[in-house]
Amino acid sequence: MSAAEQYAAAQERAKHPLTQEFAARLSFDMDEFQIEACHALEDGHGVLVAAPTGAGKTIVGEFAIYLAMRTGTDKAFYTTPMKALSNQKFRELVDVYGAGEVGLLTGDTNINPHARVVVMTTEVLRNMLYADAEALRGLRFVVMDEVHYLADRFRGAVWEEVIIHLPEEVRVVALSATVSNAEEFGDWLAAVRGGTEVIVSEIRPVPLQQHVLARGDLLPLFDERSGVATQQVNRELARLRTFKGVAWENNSRTANARGRGKPKPKYQKPSMAGRGNRLNRAEAIETLRRDNLLPAIFFIFSRVGCDQAVQQVARDGISLTTADERREIRRYVEERIYMLPDEDLAVLGYWTWRENLERGIAAHHAGMLPAFKEIVEELFQRKLVKVVFATETLALGINMPARTVVLEKLEKFNGEARVPITSGEYTQLTGRAGRRGIDVEGHSVVVWNEGMDVEAVAALASRRMYPMNSSFRPTYNMAVNLIDQFGRSRAREILESSFAQFQADRAVVGLAVKVRDADESLNGYREAMTCDRGDFFDYSRLRRELTDLEKQSRGELYGSEGRAEKRRKEINDVRARMQKHACHSCPDREKHARWAERYWKLERQVSQWRAQIDRRTGTVARIFDRVVDVLDELGYVDVAPNGSATLTPAGRTMRRIYGDRDLLVAESLRTGIWKNLDAPSLAALACALVYEPRRDEAGTGMRDLPKGAFRIALDATAMLWAQLDDVEHDFDLPGTEPIAPGLSAAMHAWARGANLDRVLTQADMAAGDFVRWTKQTIDLLDQLSMVADGNIGTTARRALDLVRRGIVVYSGV
């Protein structure tokens, strides 16, 4: 850096003393994008930071908290899309600011909610905004981590609701993975929030080396001689598809000659080549250990696959820890689980799980008890667990970086079919590779299989970005809250400021340009078809009508004789009119007709574009109007002749009912169909409203459902759902999925005090899944305890006490 550049940099630092003060507290030098974002915050702007996984985006969020904490009165909220992320961030911030200054709100966990720094899930903040909670007073910063979740079709709308409704003085710090339309999202943030700086970094702090694991050797995915700019596929891999036997040995020797090969480990298992496409994971782990590429995360898109992988490598005798490390692992695990009784530990397979941890291997997926997952995360961060077999949920922001990430397959089951992973998913998964401040480079490894298209893998690895598209849609709860706070007219305006409408309007701009250009072309075509004998446009319309009628006639070949005769008369009539037309005898008729065909083809395209413009203009507001029509039909709002709307008592109750079943819950309370339920039965019915069975679970658990009052209430609720579904379809709304009582019998047993073994057997479900659905049941029961009148509210409070026990309680921070 020249003297002049050094002086300019010093001047810039002097303008931002708080950034300098914050940076001095860190154990590493901040990157340029982090400094730029912190400067923007110090200057009073909001920021959108889009950077690769592991680049250190959260430093910007932590600077916002630092700014709030300096004042002595300001508050900062840190929102995440997942409870696991909230728990992790809470622990990190407690280490910095102390337990008295940091709170946690995740729906089922409530710690120090009035603290100046509160970590929460995004839904909790949305609910606080609609309730105009006292905790919002003094709020100055909201950090929205993993804001690209806005594209999630189930939960994404919450992010937009928060951004739209936050008080004007609150600055938003939006942290996103690298998306291809960051500038578009930043433009929307600036439009709804005011000054927002967009900072995009595509630089990984730790470079990524990409390999293919083929028959025991790690081969580079890209030709190292081609340079970064060209990124040509390694020719050795391209030849692998056709090479067999001796040819492979030559290939292997070539790799060794280039420095990739090392002496084979003493450990020997059946070679990968002899086992077809099935990966010998023990040998793969030994290969990584040989090349000093541990710790590693193996991504397997199946929970069962993760558990089986751990069992497989344990059977093969893999152990990656020293005696001291094994003792430290056992000590830490026993400190964390001492509250769980032995009988529950036995059900959870604790001793086998701990033994595998002591070997340095573990699984990580949503079916595990949350406390077990947290232990795996902590031990991996401490470098005590060396290999984790995980589903893709691990890639979603949890701080578990590894030296190496292994992708066993490049396709996954999406609930309906096996589909290739996207470039965005590939980027998210491989983003775990490379530990900042520890590794010089990270490594991604794709496991070779005989049908692999190496060019496709290279293309997947080369594309780093994916678009963020809004999934925003007005809900009943959203509608009543907006009407209550702003009135219907202003509510429509607010919804039209959503990112969904912003994107639709931008698309309309592009379509409008196409229509304008096409209109000029249409005028040119009309001019080119001009005929001195008469109106050729009128003549071409007759020709087109005749062609359409003849097509319809062919399609009705096997129709009734009466219809066929009618069609023949229509065709003859049009043909006669065409033959009498002045242009029919023009010697240049076919020349003019060719221009006419071009005209009609383009005109059809223009009509489609105009229809798209009509559909997209005011899309969100039109859906809102249909939602209001349903609410009016059912008596939740009163719509005046001038179109304004006010809430009825039922509508005021709905303001505090959140979730996909908001309308069904509100109607069930209003009609009183749950009033005869006892606490276990209400818990079971609440579970039926939140539970979403997998496709292969449909119909399971129905046989053991409680009889009596529960069955009556369940049948009434199902009938009510069907009635509401009909109303929604009448107003052109999509409706919801039918209620799912597949877990209700197990939830009823749990609320009645059944032991864990019986409940998990009855549910036929992993402990982690049961805890997750129980916590969602708790969320709904908590809402009922606050909004329901009379005995239902009292029963909901009793149900909460019954359900909050055992592993359900011992699963948070």
Side-chain angles (χ1 to χ4, degrees):
M1 186 181 291
S2 68
E5 289 172 331
Q6 291 177 3
Y7 176 75
Q11 289 291 96
E12 185 63 27
R13 287 194 296 270
K15 293 180 188 175
H16 299 94
L18 299 182
T19 302
Q20 285 295 106
E21 190 179 288
F22 176 73
R25 296 158 51 107
L26 303 175
S27 59
F28 55 87
D29 293 334
M30 292 171 65
D31 292 336
E32 283 300 315
F33 84 90
Q34 295 168 328
I35 294 171
E36 185 182 352
C38 290
H39 285 177
L41 286 173
E42 192 170 349
D43 291 339
H45 303 295
V47 293
L48 165 64
V49 180
T53 301
K57 298 182 290 291
T58 56
I59 288 294
V60 181
E62 290 166 13
F63 179 65
I65 294 171
Y66 176 76
L67 291 178
M69 295 300 285
R70 287 186 79 261
T71 66
T73 57
D74 288 349
K75 293 181 180 179
F77 289 171
Y78 196 107
T79 73
T80 77
M82 297 166 61
K83 292 177 182 178
L85 294 182
S86 294
N87 293 344
Q88 191 173 73
K89 202 65 198 177
F90 169 73
R91 290 192 293 268
E92 291 174 4
L93 291 172
V94 165
D95 289 342
V96 176
Y97 295 106
E101 295 286 4
V102 185
L104 176 67
L105 294 171
T106 60
D108 54 87
T109 304
N110 188 324
I111 300 173
N112 202 12
H114 301 293
R116 290 177 54 211
V117 180
V118 184
V119 184
M120 62 188 68
T121 52
T122 317
E123 283 86 353
V124 169
L125 179 53
R126 186 271 312 273
N127 299 352
M128 291 171 66
L129 288 167
Y130 281 149
D132 193 25
E134 181 64 30
L136 296 170
R137 309 297 176 261
L139 181 62
R140 290 295 173 267
F141 295 95
V142 167
V143 182
M144 305 192 77
D145 203 355
E146 307 284 336
V147 76
H148 51 273
Y149 252 83
L150 180 143
D152 184 87
R153 66 191 182 102
F154 298 109
R155 299 173 56 209
V158 176
W159 273 256
E160 290 187 54
E161 290 180 78
V162 167
I163 290 168
I164 291 170
H165 296 309
L166 277 171
E168 188 176 343
E169 66 274 11
V170 176
R171 277 171 275 171
V172 171
V173 181
L175 308 178
S176 170
T178 311
V179 293
S180 55
N181 59 336
E183 286 76 12
E184 178 186 44
F185 184 58
D187 288 347
W188 175 69
L189 281 172
V192 297
R193 303 293 318 162
T196 301
E197 298 285 332
V198 179
I199 292 102
V200 177
S201 173
E202 297 178 27
I203 301 172
R204 280 180 53 102
V206 180
L208 182 68
Q209 298 295 321
Q210 309 203 61
H211 315 272
V212 174
L213 177 61
R215 297 184 174 96
D217 282 308
L218 284 175
L219 299 179
L221 175 59
F222 296 105
D223 192 331
E224 296 169 335
R225 295 162 295 189
S226 65
V228 176
T230 55
Q231 291 244 294
Q232 295 177 3
V233 175
N234 183 357
R235 283 171 291 183
E236 295 176 34
L237 290 172
R239 290 195 295 266
L240 258 183
R241 296 181 69 177
T242 55
F243 280 14
K244 302 286 183 184
V246 174
W248 164 257
E249 296 300 327
N250 292 336
N251 214 23
S252 181
R253 283 197 293 273
T254 301
N256 291 338
R258 293 172 55 209
R260 285 284 168 190
K262 293 180 176 64
K264 291 291 181 184
K266 293 180 181 178
Y267 172 89
Q268 289 291 343
K269 282 285 177 182
S271 84
M272 295 182 193
R275 297 182 58 173
N277 288 339
R278 187 183 175 195
L279 173 66
N280 185 322
R281 296 188 177 99
E283 186 172 336
I285 290 170
E286 290 294 346
T287 298
L288 296 178
R289 176 153 68 171
R290 176 195 74 198
D291 289 354
N292 195 28
L293 295 181
L294 296 180
I297 299 172
F298 284 65
F299 280 112
I300 302 174
F301 302 117
S302 157
R303 300 177 186 182
V304 173
C306 292
D307 293 333
Q308 289 176 343
V310 172
Q311 295 166 11
Q312 181 190 66
V313 296
R315 281 196 307 269
D316 286 343
I318 290 291
S319 183
L320 305 171
T321 53
T322 65
D324 286 343
E325 288 174 331
R326 288 192 288 274
R327 281 192 292 270
E328 187 176 349
I329 289 169
R330 177 170 294 202
R331 183 168 55 250
Y332 176 76
V333 172
E334 289 178 348
E335 286 175 359
R336 287 295 307 270
I337 57 83
Y338 76 94
M339 291 180 62
L340 287 175
D342 285 351
E343 57 268 27
D344 284 359
L345 292 177
V347 174
L348 296 169
Y350 164 74
W351 284 277
T352 300
W353 172 74
R354 190 186 69 183
E355 179 184 344
N356 289 328
L357 280 177
E358 291 176 15
R359 291 174 176 269
I361 56 177
H364 188 289
H365 56 73
M368 294 171 61
L369 191 69
F372 282 21
K373 284 196 297 181
E374 290 172 11
I375 290 169
V376 171
E377 292 161 15
E378 178 63 26
L379 292 176
F380 194 79
Q381 290 173 37
R382 291 190 186 185
K383 308 174 195 172
L384 295 171
V385 167
K386 321 289 185 179
V387 171
V388 169
F389 296 96
T391 58
E392 69 268 33
T393 54
L394 179 59
L396 301 176
I398 296 173
N399 182 25
M400 274 185 68
R403 177 164 294 173
T404 303
V405 162
V406 180
L407 302 181
E408 294 197 2
K409 293 183 179 178
L410 295 177
E411 63 177 21
K412 66 176 184 176
F413 186 69
N414 67 357
E416 297 178 356
R418 298 204 68 83
V419 296
I421 65 172
T422 66
S423 59
E425 288 168 332
Y426 182 93
T427 302
Q428 192 83 357
L429 294 168
T430 57
R432 297 288 110 198
R435 299 162 299 176
R436 187 169 185 162
I438 301 173
D439 297 322
V440 176
E441 59 187 19
H443 298 264
S444 70
V445 177
V446 175
V447 176
W448 169 266
N449 65 69
E450 297 300 338
M452 180 179 288
D453 183 346
V454 181
E455 297 288 346
V457 176
L460 195 68
S462 299
R463 289 192 296 269
R464 285 277 168 241
M465 296 185 293
Y466 53 100
M468 179 162 59
N469 295 313
S470 172
S471 60
F472 185 81
R473 186 179 66 83
T475 65
Y476 298 106
N477 170 271
M478 186 191 305
V480 294
N481 274 290
L482 289 174
I483 289 171
D484 184 52
Q485 290 190 30
F486 306 106
R488 184 177 184 179
S489 177
R490 174 66 180 139
R492 290 180 99 258
E493 294 175 8
I494 290 170
L495 292 173
E496 286 184 325
S497 69
S498 66
F499 186 46
Q501 192 59 56
F502 186 83
Q503 287 190 305
D505 289 344
R506 284 205 163 187
V508 164
V509 170
L511 289 171
V513 170
K514 288 183 179 180
V515 169
R516 187 185 64 219
D517 293 343
D519 282 340
E520 294 178 6
S521 297
L522 289 172
N523 291 333
Y525 294 162
R526 289 194 68 160
E527 189 175 332
M529 74 171 84
T530 301
C531 178
D532 57 4
R533 302 287 181 97
D535 185 351
F536 200 90
F537 182 76
D538 181 57
Y539 177 73
S540 71
R541 203 194 303 269
L542 288 172
R543 284 177 61 126
R544 186 173 184 78
E545 185 178 353
L546 179 62
T547 300
D548 290 343
L549 287 170
E550 288 174 339
K551 285 181 180 178
Q552 291 172 15
S553 177
R554 288 195 293 272
E556 297 167 352
L557 188 62
Y558 299 103
S560 67
E561 183 59 33
R563 177 181 291 180
E565 179 61 27
K566 179 182 178 183
R567 187 70 70 204
R568 281 194 293 272
K569 287 181 179 179
E570 290 176 338
I571 290 172
N572 291 335
D573 178 61
V574 173
R575 183 177 286 121
R577 286 160 54 203
M578 188 181 74
Q579 290 171 348
K580 291 178 182 178
H581 198 285
C583 293
H584 190 67
S585 59
C586 175
D588 294 326
R589 182 185 69 195
E590 293 309 310
K591 178 182 175 182
H592 298 327
R594 283 193 292 274
W595 285 108
E597 283 302 312
R598 294 177 186 175
Y599 176 91
W600 289 112
K601 183 177 180 180
L602 182 58
E603 199 277 337
R604 183 168 59 248
Q605 179 66 71
V606 170
S607 296
Q608 292 173 357
W609 287 336
R610 291 188 194 279
Q612 289 181 47
I613 290 173
D614 289 341
R615 286 196 301 270
R616 294 183 179 186
T617 303
T619 304
V620 177
R622 284 203 301 273
I623 296 173
F624 171 72
D625 286 339
R626 293 200 288 271
V627 167
V628 173
D629 288 341
V630 170
L631 292 170
D632 181 37
E633 175 80 6
L634 297 173
Y636 288 88
V637 300
D638 285 329
V639 177
N642 65 358
S644 63
T646 54
L647 300 190
T648 65
R652 285 191 286 276
T653 297
M654 185 184 277
R655 287 178 309 168
R656 294 181 291 165
I657 299 173
Y658 303 98
D660 293 339
R661 305 284 193 185
D662 49 7
L663 183 59
L664 179 58
V665 172
E667 276 290 275
S668 298
L669 292 178
R670 188 168 70 162
T671 55
I673 58 177
W674 299 343
K675 63 184 179 182
N676 294 324
L677 294 175
D678 60 12
S681 296
L682 185 58
L685 198 115
C687 179
L689 295 177
V690 299
Y691 180 53
E692 297 172 10
R694 297 186 176 194
R695 288 180 174 273
D696 57 355
E697 294 173 359
T700 60
M702 300 290 290
R703 188 177 61 247
D704 301 323
L705 288 175
K707 305 292 192 297
F710 174 81
R711 280 295 181 97
I712 295 170
L714 180 66
D715 291 344
T717 307
M719 186 176 297
L720 181 57
W721 170 84
Q723 294 166 356
L724 294 177
D725 194 58
D726 289 340
V727 172
E728 289 179 300
H729 283 100
D730 288 344
F731 287 94
D732 199 24
L733 289 170
T736 58
E737 291 294 315
I739 61 176
L743 188 57
S744 293
M747 189 61 64
H748 188 267
W750 179 253
R752 294 187 64 189
N755 63 40
L756 180 63
D757 189 16
R758 176 190 162 188
V759 170
L760 293 183
T761 300
Q762 188 170 10
D764 190 22
M765 183 175 287
D769 290 325
F770 179 73
V771 169
R772 185 172 73 257
W773 292 121
T774 304
K775 288 195 170 187
Q776 293 200 31
T777 301
I778 287 170
D779 286 345
L780 179 52
L781 289 172
D782 195 39
Q783 292 179 43
L784 295 178
S785 72
M786 292 184 286
V787 303
D789 294 328
N791 68 318
I792 297 180
T794 303
T795 303
R797 286 187 284 276
R798 283 202 300 269
L800 281 170
D801 292 336
L802 295 175
V803 171
R804 282 180 176 146
R805 66 181 182 88
I807 64 168
V808 175
V809 176
Y810 187 75
S811 58
V813 174

